[in-house]
Amino acid sequence: MTTFHSRRNVMAGMTAAVALAAAPLRAASGRKGSQPNVVFIMADDMGYADLSCTGSHHIKTPAIDSIATGGIMLRQGYSSTPICSPTRTALLLGCYAQRFALGLEEPVTANAPPDLGPPSDRPTLASVFRAQGYHTKLIGKWHLGEPGVHGPLQHGYDEFLGIVEGAADYFRHRMVVGGKEVGIGLARDNARTEAGGYLTDTFGDEAVRTIEAAGDKPLFLSLHFNAPHWPWEGREDAAAAKVIGTSTHNDGGSLGKYREMVEIMDQNVAKVLAALDRTGKADNTIVVFTSDNGGERFSETWPFVGQKGEVLEGGIRVPLMMRWPARIAAGSRSDQVMASMDFLPTLLAMAGGNVAKAGRFDGMDLSRQMVGDAAAVERTLFWRFNASAQAAVRQGDWKYVKLGGKEHLFNLAQDERERAERALAEPQRLAAMRDLWDQWNAQMLPYRVNGASESLKGSYPDRY
């Protein structure tokens, strides 16, 4: 059981997250001085227990499982928010999404301001690697703005092939609303493009080609599958896709179809891993697998409760595993708490970059924890969703939750299912954690009121 810290100490720790991290990790590989490639794979709406290695009852994912068995698996991995585009904001910028106008959109929709996107003056997960001499590419879902204005190429990626909006039909490659295709859909770099086939395979094949063409220049590849996000379609559903009236596909899907979608994604991960082996890059490539938030209707989150759109563990606890044969011992397991915004400083440090010079981030450099050079460090993390109707703080083993106007307190070390209410037994802890969340929330941008943000142009209080 963790100790109960004072509010002053915790807030000081939050504001100096990077400084709390251990000394920088020296880049190391099988060849002296060489930089590791990075392949960052993210699923869309995958529940914690949707993989064989995390407890699925019916889905087989041998390729993804091999990342865990060949490296380190973190059971306490989190998405920085319980929904897609804010988490992608946190991942890209290494900070709480709520610091930025973009992060207030839950998620980004057609009703968002047309020029909305990541702030152009901020370092990103892609730009910090490009500054290190990497070739950077995003394959898959973007969902953070329109190409040419706020697309991947405007925020650190050298190349992009993927879907612009939050979802797309797996065969038509665009959103379908009222029977009509809308939005940009599939784009290459800054313009819409056409491609045939099943979208998960399209992304996997592009990743293989990218790895094979990479040469000796280090590669930073973001592979953001849209699977297993709706619409509920497998490889044999091309004919059905032509008549689906809406991409949300509310009347479709099944456990079997969901299994098929996840297993197709796993097959594409297998192709990517095989390409790394075939090109001799596997030993010095960091491969990450995670999800953008908890699962939706057909996913498993056991033993956690909640789902996408909720700050309960099922909405924010996600699979998280990392493989780097040159530095990470196979079969490693860790209780380290890690969130989406931690990947920027952590991966940059693992590649030999200087995190302090790159910028200031809420995310913590956990590189030494990943390679086994340091013990797990205690974290305090915050969540907010749906105009503050949902709030959560995790401080060590303790978690404060506000849902529907009611407050709860749980000890996750004893009760990770969030069912053994501790609020009445620990009123002082409850009050202190509520105050912690209020202090954190005061540093974030306010939600938009009556359709307009109170501070839409802002991003970051003065201390950042």
Side-chain angles (χ1 to χ4, degrees), residues 66-197:
S66 75
I67 301 172
T69 57
I72 187 170
M73 183 172 178
L74 280 71
R75 195 174 186 277
Q76 302 195 78
Y78 285 94
S79 59
S80 288
T81 79
I83 202 164
C84 46
S85 47
T87 289
R88 292 165 195 272
T89 300
L91 171 68
L92 185 72
L93 299 172
C95 298
Y96 284 108
Q98 296 85 359
R99 291 193 183 279
F100 310 99
L102 176 64
L104 303 184
E105 304 293 327
E106 298 175 336
V108 173
T109 68
N111 297 323
D115 61 345
L116 189 68
S120 298
D121 60 346
R122 294 290 304 169
T124 70
L125 180 60
S127 73
V128 298
F129 273 89
R130 187 160 68 180
Q132 291 285 111
Y134 280 70
H135 180 76
T136 59
K137 184 169 183 175
L138 171 63
I139 300 171
K141 179 173 169 178
W142 173 239
H143 202 194
L144 296 176
E146 292 199 7
V149 181
H150 279 297
L153 270 60
Q154 286 73 55
H155 294 284
Y157 287 101
D158 295 313
E159 293 185 79
F160 170 54
L161 175 71
I163 57 171
V164 173
E165 291 82 21
D169 185 274
Y170 285 80
F171 296 95
R172 299 161 77 167
H173 300 174
R174 294 177 77 180
M175 286 277 285
V176 181
V177 178
K180 297 181 180 180
E181 295 177 359
V182 300
I184 296 173
L186 187 66
R188 185 175 288 278
D189 294 339
N190 287 324
R192 171 165 169 74
T193 190
E194 300 286 343

Side-chain angles (χ1 to χ4, degrees), residues 28-30 36-37 66-67 69-72 273 276-277 280-288 322-332 350 370-371:
S29 70
N37 301 296
S66 75
I67 301 172
T69 57
I72 187 170
L273 298 179
L276 292 172
D277 287 334
K281 301 180 187 298
D283 187 61
N284 195 32
T285 296
I286 302 167
V287 180
V288 178
M322 185 182 299
R323 189 188 81 174
W324 186 15
R327 289 298 303 268
I328 299 175
S332 300
M350 293 173 80
M370 296 302 99
V371 301

Side-chain angles (χ1 to χ4, degrees), residues 170-298:
Y170 285 80
F171 296 95
R172 299 161 77 167
H173 300 174
R174 294 177 77 180
M175 286 277 285
V176 181
V177 178
K180 297 181 180 180
E181 295 177 359
V182 300
I184 296 173
L186 187 66
R188 185 175 288 278
D189 294 339
N190 287 324
R192 171 165 169 74
T193 190
E194 300 286 343
Y198 186 72
L199 200 52
T200 306
D201 292 330
T202 299
F203 294 155
D205 291 342
E206 182 77 5
V208 169
R209 286 191 291 268
T210 300
I211 291 167
E212 291 177 338
D216 292 331
K217 187 173 184 177
L219 173 67
F220 180 84
L221 175 61
S222 296
L223 177 54
H224 295 180
F225 288 108
N226 61 315
H229 195 290
W230 48 256
W232 317 108
E233 298 170 344
R235 285 194 183 116
E236 308 305 317
D237 295 324
K242 295 179 180 179
V243 298
I244 292 176
T246 174
S247 288
T248 53
H249 203 184
N250 293 322
D251 61 344
S254 65
L255 289 174
K257 187 59 61 179
Y258 186 82
R259 177 179 65 246
E260 181 183 352
M261 295 170 72
V262 173
E263 291 184 352
I264 291 172
M265 179 173 62
D266 186 74
Q267 292 162 19
N268 280 277
V269 171
K271 292 191 299 189
V272 170
L273 298 179
L276 292 172
D277 287 334
R278 189 165 58 250
T279 57
K281 301 180 187 298
D283 187 61
N284 195 32
T285 296
I286 302 167
V287 180
V288 178
F289 184 88
T290 190
S291 179
D292 64 344
N293 47 248
E296 216 178 348
R297 65 170 79 174
F298 296 115

Side-chain angles (χ1 to χ4, degrees), residues 428-449:
Q428 291 182 330
R429 190 185 299 273
L430 178 77
M433 294 186 74
R434 179 199 306 121
D435 288 348
L436 271 182
W437 187 89
D438 287 341
Q439 292 176 52
W440 169 81
N441 188 50
Q443 301 177 49
M444 304 298 117
L445 290 181
Y447 279 96
R448 291 195 290 171
V449 177

